[in-house]
mmCIF file of all heavy atoms in Angstrom:
data_model
loop_
_atom_site.group_PDB
_atom_site.id
_atom_site.type_symbol
_atom_site.label_atom_id
_atom_site.label_comp_id
_atom_site.label_asym_id
_atom_site.label_seq_id
_atom_site.Cartn_x
_atom_site.Cartn_y
_atom_site.Cartn_z
ATOM 1 N N ARG Z 1 -4.545 -15.405 28.374
ATOM 2 C CA ARG Z 1 -3.217 -15.750 27.809
ATOM 3 C C ARG Z 1 -3.275 -16.063 26.409
ATOM 4 O O ARG Z 1 -2.255 -15.686 25.642
ATOM 5 C CB ARG Z 1 -2.691 -16.991 28.561
ATOM 6 C CG ARG Z 1 -2.265 -16.546 30.030
ATOM 7 C CD ARG Z 1 -1.412 -17.666 30.607
ATOM 8 N NE ARG Z 1 -1.092 -17.437 32.053
ATOM 9 C CZ ARG Z 1 -0.171 -16.686 32.558
ATOM 10 N NH1 ARG Z 1 0.639 -15.924 31.732
ATOM 11 N NH2 ARG Z 1 -0.051 -16.531 33.791
ATOM 12 N N PRO Z 2 -4.227 -16.774 25.791
ATOM 13 C CA PRO Z 2 -4.240 -16.985 24.381
ATOM 14 C C PRO Z 2 -4.476 -15.575 23.591
ATOM 15 O O PRO Z 2 -3.834 -15.422 22.492
ATOM 16 C CB PRO Z 2 -5.649 -17.785 24.160
ATOM 17 C CG PRO Z 2 -5.878 -18.467 25.419
ATOM 18 C CD PRO Z 2 -5.467 -17.605 26.480
ATOM 19 N N LYS Z 3 -5.204 -14.682 24.110
ATOM 20 C CA LYS Z 3 -5.260 -13.396 23.391
ATOM 21 C C LYS Z 3 -4.001 -12.684 23.537
ATOM 22 O O LYS Z 3 -3.642 -12.050 22.510
ATOM 23 C CB LYS Z 3 -6.414 -12.579 24.097
ATOM 24 C CG LYS Z 3 -6.533 -11.211 23.462
ATOM 25 C CD LYS Z 3 -7.598 -10.377 24.318
ATOM 26 C CE LYS Z 3 -7.724 -8.970 23.701
ATOM 27 N NZ LYS Z 3 -8.633 -8.150 24.465
ATOM 28 N N ASP Z 4 -3.269 -12.646 24.590
ATOM 29 C CA ASP Z 4 -2.030 -12.094 24.799
ATOM 30 C C ASP Z 4 -0.969 -12.634 23.802
ATOM 31 O O ASP Z 4 -0.269 -12.112 23.158
ATOM 32 C CB ASP Z 4 -1.569 -12.299 26.217
ATOM 33 C CG ASP Z 4 -0.352 -11.532 26.579
ATOM 34 O OD1 ASP Z 4 0.123 -10.680 25.717
ATOM 35 O OD2 ASP Z 4 0.283 -11.793 27.590
ATOM 36 N N ALA Z 5 -0.984 -13.985 23.770
ATOM 37 C CA ALA Z 5 -0.040 -14.706 22.837
ATOM 38 C C ALA Z 5 -0.375 -14.357 21.360
ATOM 39 O O ALA Z 5 0.513 -14.253 20.456
ATOM 40 C CB ALA Z 5 -0.094 -16.181 23.009
ATOM 41 N N LEU Z 6 -1.677 -14.405 21.014
ATOM 42 C CA LEU Z 6 -2.042 -14.072 19.622
ATOM 43 C C LEU Z 6 -1.647 -12.718 19.218
ATOM 44 O O LEU Z 6 -1.092 -12.461 18.086
ATOM 45 C CB LEU Z 6 -3.521 -14.250 19.477
ATOM 46 C CG LEU Z 6 -4.103 -13.974 18.087
ATOM 47 C CD1 LEU Z 6 -3.534 -15.004 17.110
ATOM 48 C CD2 LEU Z 6 -5.552 -13.934 18.048
ATOM 49 N N LEU Z 7 -1.833 -11.651 20.130
ATOM 50 C CA LEU Z 7 -1.453 -10.298 19.807
ATOM 51 C C LEU Z 7 0.132 -10.237 19.706
ATOM 52 O O LEU Z 7 0.575 -9.509 18.918
ATOM 53 C CB LEU Z 7 -1.970 -9.338 20.894
ATOM 54 C CG LEU Z 7 -3.430 -8.902 20.725
ATOM 55 C CD1 LEU Z 7 -3.806 -8.175 22.004
ATOM 56 C CD2 LEU Z 7 -3.676 -8.240 19.547
ATOM 57 N N ALA Z 8 0.698 -10.926 20.549
ATOM 58 C CA ALA Z 8 2.251 -10.859 20.560
ATOM 59 C C ALA Z 8 2.797 -11.430 19.149
ATOM 60 O O ALA Z 8 3.649 -10.874 18.482
ATOM 61 C CB ALA Z 8 2.848 -11.684 21.661
ATOM 62 N N LEU Z 9 2.191 -12.488 18.747
ATOM 63 C CA LEU Z 9 2.580 -13.065 17.516
ATOM 64 C C LEU Z 9 2.180 -12.332 16.259
ATOM 65 O O LEU Z 9 3.024 -12.263 15.268
ATOM 66 C CB LEU Z 9 1.955 -14.461 17.276
ATOM 67 C CG LEU Z 9 2.653 -15.671 18.294
ATOM 68 C CD1 LEU Z 9 1.851 -16.883 18.040
ATOM 69 C CD2 LEU Z 9 4.033 -15.758 17.909
ATOM 70 N N LEU Z 10 1.237 -11.608 16.452
ATOM 71 C CA LEU Z 10 0.697 -10.674 15.239
ATOM 72 C C LEU Z 10 1.537 -9.432 15.270
ATOM 73 O O LEU Z 10 1.910 -8.814 14.168
ATOM 74 C CB LEU Z 10 -0.727 -10.365 15.341
ATOM 75 C CG LEU Z 10 -1.703 -11.540 15.075
ATOM 76 C CD1 LEU Z 10 -3.155 -11.054 15.332
ATOM 77 C CD2 LEU Z 10 -1.586 -12.075 13.600
ATOM 78 N N LEU Z 11 2.039 -8.931 16.370
ATOM 79 C CA LEU Z 11 2.635 -7.681 16.402
ATOM 80 C C LEU Z 11 4.178 -7.831 16.178
ATOM 81 O O LEU Z 11 4.789 -6.848 15.824
ATOM 82 C CB LEU Z 11 2.343 -6.988 17.772
ATOM 83 C CG LEU Z 11 2.710 -5.530 17.914
ATOM 84 C CD1 LEU Z 11 1.732 -4.806 16.908
ATOM 85 C CD2 LEU Z 11 2.502 -5.081 19.333
ATOM 86 N N LEU Z 12 4.733 -8.924 16.363
ATOM 87 C CA LEU Z 12 6.179 -9.134 16.264
ATOM 88 C C LEU Z 12 6.633 -8.847 14.858
ATOM 89 O O LEU Z 12 7.721 -8.049 14.729
ATOM 90 C CB LEU Z 12 6.562 -10.661 16.662
ATOM 91 C CG LEU Z 12 8.001 -10.848 16.694
ATOM 92 C CD1 LEU Z 12 8.697 -10.082 17.686
ATOM 93 C CD2 LEU Z 12 8.209 -12.391 16.942
ATOM 94 N N PRO Z 13 6.104 -9.403 13.750
ATOM 95 C CA PRO Z 13 6.622 -8.972 12.492
ATOM 96 C C PRO Z 13 6.331 -7.563 12.069
ATOM 97 O O PRO Z 13 7.072 -6.843 11.378
ATOM 98 C CB PRO Z 13 5.922 -9.936 11.532
ATOM 99 C CG PRO Z 13 4.780 -10.572 12.280
ATOM 100 C CD PRO Z 13 5.089 -10.361 13.672
ATOM 101 N N VAL Z 14 5.219 -7.012 12.594
ATOM 102 C CA VAL Z 14 4.822 -5.535 12.275
ATOM 103 C C VAL Z 14 5.866 -4.560 12.953
ATOM 104 O O VAL Z 14 6.351 -3.750 12.215
ATOM 105 C CB VAL Z 14 3.434 -5.237 12.873
ATOM 106 C CG1 VAL Z 14 3.164 -3.743 12.717
ATOM 107 C CG2 VAL Z 14 2.489 -6.015 12.080
ATOM 108 N N LEU Z 15 6.150 -4.861 14.116
ATOM 109 C CA LEU Z 15 7.133 -3.922 14.831
ATOM 110 C C LEU Z 15 8.553 -4.263 14.341
ATOM 111 O O LEU Z 15 9.380 -3.412 14.370
ATOM 112 C CB LEU Z 15 7.014 -4.168 16.338
ATOM 113 C CG LEU Z 15 5.860 -3.472 17.103
ATOM 114 C CD1 LEU Z 15 5.884 -3.771 18.564
ATOM 115 C CD2 LEU Z 15 5.738 -2.027 16.819
ATOM 116 N N GLY Z 16 8.814 -5.443 13.949
ATOM 117 C CA GLY Z 16 10.163 -5.813 13.343
ATOM 118 C C GLY Z 16 10.455 -5.181 12.052
ATOM 119 O O GLY Z 16 11.568 -4.783 11.754
ATOM 120 N N ALA Z 17 9.436 -5.004 11.225
ATOM 121 C CA ALA Z 17 9.575 -4.404 9.953
ATOM 122 C C ALA Z 17 9.426 -2.834 9.989
ATOM 123 O O ALA Z 17 9.576 -2.159 9.130
ATOM 124 C CB ALA Z 17 8.527 -4.863 9.046
ATOM 125 N N LEU Z 18 9.038 -2.297 11.123
ATOM 126 C CA LEU Z 18 8.821 -0.846 11.294
ATOM 127 C C LEU Z 18 10.053 0.011 11.145
ATOM 128 O O LEU Z 18 9.893 1.049 10.330
ATOM 129 C CB LEU Z 18 8.216 -0.569 12.589
ATOM 130 C CG LEU Z 18 7.653 0.807 12.894
ATOM 131 C CD1 LEU Z 18 6.433 1.021 11.918
ATOM 132 C CD2 LEU Z 18 7.148 0.977 14.326
ATOM 133 N N PRO Z 19 11.217 -0.331 11.469
ATOM 134 C CA PRO Z 19 12.396 0.552 11.139
ATOM 135 C C PRO Z 19 12.681 0.533 9.649
ATOM 136 O O PRO Z 19 13.061 1.592 9.093
ATOM 137 C CB PRO Z 19 13.491 -0.124 11.942
ATOM 138 C CG PRO Z 19 13.013 -0.977 12.947
ATOM 139 C CD PRO Z 19 11.545 -1.450 12.514
ATOM 140 N N LEU Z 20 12.581 -0.621 8.965
ATOM 141 C CA LEU Z 20 12.713 -0.644 7.538
ATOM 142 C C LEU Z 20 11.652 0.313 6.760
ATOM 143 O O LEU Z 20 12.101 1.043 5.920
ATOM 144 C CB LEU Z 20 12.640 -2.070 7.073
ATOM 145 C CG LEU Z 20 13.114 -2.329 5.738
ATOM 146 C CD1 LEU Z 20 14.545 -1.918 5.390
ATOM 147 C CD2 LEU Z 20 12.881 -3.788 5.461
ATOM 148 N N ALA Z 21 10.515 0.214 7.156
ATOM 149 C CA ALA Z 21 9.461 0.964 6.549
ATOM 150 C C ALA Z 21 9.706 2.458 6.755
ATOM 151 O O ALA Z 21 9.507 3.403 5.940
ATOM 152 C CB ALA Z 21 8.118 0.628 7.122
ATOM 153 N N ALA Z 22 10.088 2.830 7.997
ATOM 154 C CA ALA Z 22 10.374 4.293 8.428
ATOM 155 C C ALA Z 22 11.559 4.802 7.576
ATOM 156 O O ALA Z 22 11.522 5.879 7.039
ATOM 157 C CB ALA Z 22 10.696 4.399 9.873
ATOM 158 N N PHE Z 23 12.626 3.854 7.348
ATOM 159 C CA PHE Z 23 13.740 4.337 6.602
ATOM 160 C C PHE Z 23 13.382 4.637 5.157
ATOM 161 O O PHE Z 23 13.784 5.503 4.530
ATOM 162 C CB PHE Z 23 14.747 3.109 6.627
ATOM 163 C CG PHE Z 23 16.087 3.409 5.886
ATOM 164 C CD1 PHE Z 23 17.032 4.333 6.440
ATOM 165 C CD2 PHE Z 23 16.305 2.951 4.745
ATOM 166 C CE1 PHE Z 23 18.144 4.621 5.802
ATOM 167 C CE2 PHE Z 23 17.447 3.233 3.906
ATOM 168 C CZ PHE Z 23 18.376 4.128 4.492
ATOM 169 N N TRP Z 24 12.540 3.634 4.617
ATOM 170 C CA TRP Z 24 12.112 3.949 3.139
ATOM 171 C C TRP Z 24 11.211 5.091 3.000
ATOM 172 O O TRP Z 24 11.330 5.882 2.084
ATOM 173 C CB TRP Z 24 11.323 2.667 2.774
ATOM 174 C CG TRP Z 24 12.202 1.507 2.345
ATOM 175 C CD1 TRP Z 24 13.560 1.576 1.981
ATOM 176 C CD2 TRP Z 24 11.897 0.175 2.095
ATOM 177 N NE1 TRP Z 24 14.060 0.209 1.669
ATOM 178 C CE2 TRP Z 24 12.957 -0.553 1.829
ATOM 179 C CE3 TRP Z 24 10.594 -0.552 2.323
ATOM 180 C CZ2 TRP Z 24 12.884 -1.979 1.494
ATOM 181 C CZ3 TRP Z 24 10.599 -1.889 2.100
ATOM 182 C CH2 TRP Z 24 11.699 -2.598 1.830
ATOM 183 N N ALA Z 25 10.351 5.320 3.854
ATOM 184 C CA ALA Z 25 9.426 6.444 3.822
ATOM 185 C C ALA Z 25 10.254 7.825 4.040
ATOM 186 O O ALA Z 25 9.887 8.719 3.196
ATOM 187 C CB ALA Z 25 8.265 6.316 4.785
ATOM 188 N N ALA Z 26 11.031 7.821 5.006
ATOM 189 C CA ALA Z 26 11.728 9.155 5.195
ATOM 190 C C ALA Z 26 12.779 9.349 4.083
ATOM 191 O O ALA Z 26 12.873 10.526 3.678
ATOM 192 C CB ALA Z 26 12.406 9.063 6.593
ATOM 193 N N GLY Z 27 13.361 8.351 3.614
ATOM 194 C CA GLY Z 27 14.273 8.439 2.502
ATOM 195 C C GLY Z 27 13.548 8.901 1.178
ATOM 196 O O GLY Z 27 14.083 9.797 0.460
ATOM 197 N N ALA Z 28 12.347 8.384 0.913
ATOM 198 C CA ALA Z 28 11.546 8.823 -0.153
ATOM 199 C C ALA Z 28 11.119 10.279 0.004
ATOM 200 O O ALA Z 28 11.157 10.983 -1.035
ATOM 201 C CB ALA Z 28 10.358 7.943 -0.365
ATOM 202 N N ALA Z 29 10.756 10.706 1.141
ATOM 203 C CA ALA Z 29 10.285 12.066 1.290
ATOM 204 C C ALA Z 29 11.588 12.953 1.126
ATOM 205 O O ALA Z 29 11.350 14.062 0.535
ATOM 206 C CB ALA Z 29 9.675 12.249 2.704
ATOM 207 N N ALA Z 30 12.703 12.651 1.673
ATOM 208 C CA ALA Z 30 13.804 13.498 1.505
ATOM 209 C C ALA Z 30 14.313 13.561 0.030
ATOM 210 O O ALA Z 30 14.766 14.509 -0.490
ATOM 211 C CB ALA Z 30 14.998 12.870 2.374
ATOM 212 N N GLU Z 31 14.213 12.425 -0.732
ATOM 213 C CA GLU Z 31 14.538 12.471 -2.094
ATOM 214 C C GLU Z 31 13.626 13.244 -2.908
ATOM 215 O O GLU Z 31 13.893 14.037 -3.833
ATOM 216 C CB GLU Z 31 14.505 11.080 -2.670
ATOM 217 C CG GLU Z 31 14.974 10.936 -4.058
ATOM 218 C CD GLU Z 31 15.124 9.564 -4.515
ATOM 219 O OE1 GLU Z 31 14.700 8.658 -3.841
ATOM 220 O OE2 GLU Z 31 15.687 9.375 -5.632
ATOM 221 N N ALA Z 32 12.267 13.288 -2.546
ATOM 222 C CA ALA Z 32 11.177 14.024 -3.267
ATOM 223 C C ALA Z 32 11.476 15.545 -2.969
ATOM 224 O O ALA Z 32 11.073 16.379 -3.881
ATOM 225 C CB ALA Z 32 9.871 13.631 -2.790
ATOM 226 N N ALA Z 33 11.999 15.897 -1.922
ATOM 227 C CA ALA Z 33 12.300 17.244 -1.516
ATOM 228 C C ALA Z 33 13.541 17.798 -2.156
ATOM 229 O O ALA Z 33 13.963 19.030 -2.041
ATOM 230 C CB ALA Z 33 12.391 17.454 0.007
ATOM 231 N N GLY Z 34 14.362 16.894 -2.797
ATOM 232 C CA GLY Z 34 15.450 17.179 -3.640
ATOM 233 C C GLY Z 34 16.761 17.220 -2.738
ATOM 234 O O GLY Z 34 17.738 17.900 -3.075
ATOM 235 N N GLY Z 35 16.744 16.420 -1.740
ATOM 236 C CA GLY Z 35 17.985 16.228 -0.906
ATOM 237 C C GLY Z 35 19.060 15.584 -1.534
ATOM 238 O O GLY Z 35 18.822 14.652 -2.479
ATOM 239 N N SER Z 36 20.356 15.801 -1.026
ATOM 240 C CA SER Z 36 21.453 15.027 -1.580
ATOM 241 C C SER Z 36 21.471 13.611 -0.940
ATOM 242 O O SER Z 36 20.530 13.265 -0.086
ATOM 243 C CB SER Z 36 22.697 15.861 -1.133
ATOM 244 O OG SER Z 36 22.868 15.764 0.299
ATOM 245 N N THR Z 37 22.349 12.937 -1.401
ATOM 246 C CA THR Z 37 22.344 11.458 -0.814
ATOM 247 C C THR Z 37 22.695 11.472 0.721
ATOM 248 O O THR Z 37 22.041 10.678 1.371
ATOM 249 C CB THR Z 37 23.519 10.573 -1.574
ATOM 250 O OG1 THR Z 37 23.303 10.741 -2.965
ATOM 251 C CG2 THR Z 37 23.582 9.209 -1.118
ATOM 252 N N ASP Z 38 23.513 12.302 1.140
ATOM 253 C CA ASP Z 38 23.856 12.383 2.515
ATOM 254 C C ASP Z 38 22.546 12.746 3.367
ATOM 255 O O ASP Z 38 22.294 12.181 4.372
ATOM 256 C CB ASP Z 38 24.830 13.407 2.856
ATOM 257 C CG ASP Z 38 26.236 12.902 2.355
ATOM 258 O OD1 ASP Z 38 26.472 11.741 2.140
ATOM 259 O OD2 ASP Z 38 27.092 13.792 2.158
ATOM 260 N N GLN Z 39 21.766 13.659 2.832
ATOM 261 C CA GLN Z 39 20.545 14.089 3.536
ATOM 262 C C GLN Z 39 19.519 12.949 3.474
ATOM 263 O O GLN Z 39 18.777 12.800 4.519
ATOM 264 C CB GLN Z 39 20.016 15.405 2.880
ATOM 265 C CG GLN Z 39 20.967 16.667 3.071
ATOM 266 C CD GLN Z 39 20.458 17.681 2.204
ATOM 267 O OE1 GLN Z 39 19.710 17.586 1.205
ATOM 268 N NE2 GLN Z 39 20.797 18.955 2.645
ATOM 269 N N ILE Z 40 19.452 12.294 2.454
ATOM 270 C CA ILE Z 40 18.477 11.193 2.277
ATOM 271 C C ILE Z 40 18.734 10.110 3.300
ATOM 272 O O ILE Z 40 17.910 9.587 4.082
ATOM 273 C CB ILE Z 40 18.429 10.526 0.992
ATOM 274 C CG1 ILE Z 40 17.953 11.638 -0.099
ATOM 275 C CG2 ILE Z 40 17.615 9.234 0.843
ATOM 276 C CD1 ILE Z 40 18.096 11.249 -1.539
ATOM 277 N N LEU Z 41 20.100 9.720 3.374
ATOM 278 C CA LEU Z 41 20.524 8.626 4.272
ATOM 279 C C LEU Z 41 20.338 9.179 5.713
ATOM 280 O O LEU Z 41 20.003 8.331 6.790
ATOM 281 C CB LEU Z 41 21.972 8.198 4.063
ATOM 282 C CG LEU Z 41 22.077 7.420 2.721
ATOM 283 C CD1 LEU Z 41 23.567 7.174 2.521
ATOM 284 C CD2 LEU Z 41 21.291 6.146 2.798
ATOM 285 N N TRP Z 42 20.692 10.283 6.079
ATOM 286 C CA TRP Z 42 20.537 10.948 7.279
ATOM 287 C C TRP Z 42 19.064 10.891 7.917
ATOM 288 O O TRP Z 42 18.716 10.476 8.954
ATOM 289 C CB TRP Z 42 21.069 12.283 7.404
ATOM 290 C CG TRP Z 42 21.169 12.944 8.787
ATOM 291 C CD1 TRP Z 42 22.093 12.713 9.664
ATOM 292 C CD2 TRP Z 42 20.053 13.746 9.370
ATOM 293 N NE1 TRP Z 42 21.816 13.380 10.892
ATOM 294 C CE2 TRP Z 42 20.636 14.023 10.702
ATOM 295 C CE3 TRP Z 42 19.004 14.265 8.968
ATOM 296 C CZ2 TRP Z 42 19.816 14.796 11.570
ATOM 297 C CZ3 TRP Z 42 18.168 15.078 9.825
ATOM 298 C CH2 TRP Z 42 18.665 15.316 11.149
ATOM 299 N N ALA Z 43 18.134 11.376 6.977
ATOM 300 C CA ALA Z 43 16.814 11.338 7.312
ATOM 301 C C ALA Z 43 16.224 9.976 7.556
ATOM 302 O O ALA Z 43 15.479 9.806 8.444
ATOM 303 C CB ALA Z 43 15.920 12.180 6.204
#
């Protein structure tokens, strides 16, 4: 149980920030490819 609780506490902020990091990374890749604002936001 302590190992389970420790992993849960460590993984909670990582998985919580994952959508934000994915949004930034895909937006940066779409912008680098020369996409329009709509394409950047969609990606």
